[in-house]
Amino acid sequence: MREQDFIPGEFQKSVQFGKVTWQSPSNIALVKYWGKKKKQIPANPSVSFTLKNCKTITTLEFKRKEIKGEDFDFELFFEGKKKDDFKPKITKFFERIEKYTPFLKDYELVIQTENTFPHSSGIASSASGMSALALCVMSLEKELNPEITEDYFLKKASFLARLGSGSACRSIEGELIEWGEHKTTAGSSDLFGIKYPNKVLEVFKSYQDTILLVDKGQKQVSSTLGHNLMHGHSFAEARFEQAHANLEKLQAVFETGNLPEFIKIVESEALTLHAMMMSSEPYFILMKPNTLEIINRIWGFRESTGVPVCFTLDAGANVHVLYPKRHKEEVLEFIKNELVAYCEKGQYICDSIGKGAEKL
Ligand code: DP6
């Protein structure tokens, strides 16, 4: 599908008012998206596990205006309270998607949103938040045009979510989502995420992700800024090639279940992501001393027990501990005994692979 395919034609119905609620999960990338071109086109393909428990729940109420306005007309509530400081981000999102959703200016909108994970946990809510909102917007489009297919609905939701936040396009479905053109993945696209189409062993469909909250503070450097620093970065081209190669290697791993190889790729991706940050101009570091302490302890535990547990990081100090479900008890025991001490206020979140967003 091409970009033009997401521009709607005439709408069949006129809708006066309504309300829709979606819950949409966060996701954790195994091969990382870091670097983008214009219009939220990724510099390299990425693949992620969709999560189950870390979610955003968003309700969109819409009421048709008498006269179409010049501006987007919306109110925003976060956890029941009016949140005007989130409005510029949403306005920017609406501006980016206007071409594809011209009906938005016909309505007065009320957006109510909340997260299932603790407020300011340092967990990025842009993936779950933008995907939930994109799905609500698509539900309105479906009311206006009931004939759109399920496939178009999901692809366009992912397409719109991408324009809000790149990684959000990987939060619509589960369990493994790939985004970005990649030569050995049929149907892969820079415009939206797709369900990973090749063979995946069961072990990967029930993977566990325990998120250790190392630093719950505001990030010093936003992802958007970080992505931009890949322009003119000395290692950029090599990094983008590496992502393509790692994705190909992971393809084999999903088929064979080679966990040592899985660990090697996933941890290397996490460290490379942070190495890109540390070698950009200006350079910056998002890991904290406790992030490194945790990584070392995971390595020690893996070495001494042979349990195939590994880590990944996103653009922050928190550590995602990844492991197969069959090792849940011993890994949780290890986390409680050895890793919790390095978490801010001892906090961590138990999550696992999920199947994607749901309409409530
Ligand atoms: C490190 O999707 O948050 O989590 O497109 O600017 O909103 P924007 O960036 P964002 O970047 C996420 C980067 C990452 C890696 C990943 O999820 O692939």
Side-chain angles (χ1 to χ4, degrees):
M1 275 177 96
R2 300 152 313 153
E3 188 205 322
Q4 302 91 286
D5 299 327
F6 295 110
I7 301 173
E10 285 284 296
F11 291 111
Q12 295 150 339
K13 288 212 162 177
S14 140
V15 175
Q16 292 310 312
F17 58 88
K19 186 174 168 176
V20 60
T21 302
W22 276 90
Q23 65 172 27
S24 190
S26 187
N27 68 74
I28 182 69
L30 304 173
V31 171
K32 307 290 179 181
Y33 148 56
W34 198 244
K36 60 179 163 183
K37 304 175 200 166
K38 286 207 176 88
K39 296 190 180 173
Q40 296 283 100
I41 297 298
N44 64 260
S46 57
V47 68
S48 54
F49 276 147
T50 302
L51 295 181
K52 193 192 259 167
N53 300 331
C54 288
K55 291 179 295 204
T56 298
I57 300 158
T58 298
T59 298
L60 178 71
E61 276 177 75
F62 41 91
K63 190 168 134 220
R64 202 176 163 91
K65 295 192 268 191
E66 303 275 302
I67 313 158
K68 188 178 179 127
E70 281 289 298
D71 296 319
F72 297 104
D73 194 344
F74 70 99
E75 299 249 37
L76 186 80
F77 295 85
F78 179 66
E79 289 174 352
K81 293 196 191 83
K82 214 161 176 235
K83 199 81 179 155
D84 285 342
D85 45 333
F86 283 5
K87 282 184 94 172
K89 208 170 167 188
I90 305 296
T91 303
K92 196 164 157 200
F93 172 56
F94 285 159
E95 281 164 5
R96 284 186 185 166
I97 66 172
E98 185 178 4
K99 186 172 163 195
Y100 314 101
T101 55
F103 50 84
L104 282 177
K105 281 187 176 164
D106 295 339
Y107 290 90
E108 268 170 35
L109 307 170
V110 180
I111 303 162
Q112 312 224 33
T113 187
E114 59 187 298
N115 295 330
T116 57
F117 42 90
H119 185 44
S120 72
S121 55
I123 295 189
S125 56
S126 66
S128 53
M130 286 299 174
S131 54
L133 185 55
L135 284 156
C136 289
V137 169
M138 280 313 293
S139 285
L140 170 54
E141 176 166 337
K142 189 157 172 72
E143 290 204 24
L144 293 164
N145 194 359
E147 276 173 11
I148 58 177
T149 62
E150 165 97 359
D151 181 60
Y152 180 84
F153 183 98
L154 294 172
K155 283 206 172 97
K156 186 163 173 182
S158 174
F159 174 89
L160 297 179
R162 184 195 100 244
L163 293 170
S165 178
S167 56
C169 78
R170 298 188 313 237
S171 275
I172 306 291
E173 296 179 273
E175 291 113 342
L176 263 172
I177 302 294
E178 191 167 320
W179 167 42
E181 273 171 32
H182 182 235
K183 66 175 190 309
T184 55
T185 312
S188 58
S189 169
D190 283 346
L191 300 177
F192 46 80
I194 60 163
K195 268 170 104 95
Y196 179 75
N198 302 325
K199 188 177 166 197
V200 179
L201 288 187
E202 282 307 311
V203 60
F204 297 112
K205 296 185 182 171
S206 57
Y207 238 71
Q208 306 292 302
D209 179 5
T210 304
I211 310 165
L212 307 179
L213 306 180
V214 172
D215 182 31
K216 307 200 295 163
Q218 190 78 24
K219 276 193 282 192
Q220 295 136 318
V221 180
S222 74
S223 292
T224 305
L225 224 135
H227 285 292
N228 283 334
L229 296 176
M230 288 303 279
H231 292 293
H233 191 298
S234 311
F235 308 141
E237 283 317 309
R239 158 60 198 152
F240 301 146
E241 271 172 40
Q242 180 198 41
H244 280 268
N246 278 343
L247 204 48
E248 213 159 315
K249 286 187 202 160
L250 261 188
Q251 236 157 13
V253 167
F254 291 143
E255 244 184 274
T256 58
N258 183 344
L259 293 184
E261 181 70 4
F262 176 80
I263 290 170
K264 222 162 85 184
I265 299 165
V266 168
E267 292 190 343
S268 164
E269 276 289 320
L271 294 178
T272 302
L273 168 71
H274 284 256
M276 289 300 114
M277 300 173 189
M278 289 191 248
S279 51
S280 57
E281 286 178 42
Y283 45 77
F284 59 104
I285 303 180
L286 295 183
M287 288 191 276
K288 297 283 177 196
N290 282 351
T291 311
L292 294 178
E293 196 57 60
I294 289 169
I295 291 174
N296 274 308
R297 284 182 181 262
I298 290 173
W299 285 346
F301 176 78
R302 192 165 77 217
E303 178 79 37
S304 63
T305 61
V307 172
V309 53
C310 69
F311 71 88
T312 188
L313 308 166
D314 52 22
N318 296 334
V319 182
H320 290 248
V321 186
L322 301 177
Y323 49 97
K325 193 172 178 192
R326 63 174 183 275
H327 292 290
K328 193 170 171 178
E329 254 173 60
E330 57 210 300
V331 174
L332 282 177
E333 200 53 31
F334 158 63
I335 289 174
K336 277 182 216 150
N337 293 340
E338 281 200 49
L339 304 184
V340 161
Y342 302 103
C343 298
E344 201 176 324
K345 295 195 184 133
Q347 285 185 314
Y348 62 95
I349 297 171
C350 292
D351 212 334
S352 58
I353 303 319
K355 293 192 179 300
E358 265 178 77
K359 193 172 176 196
L360 298 180

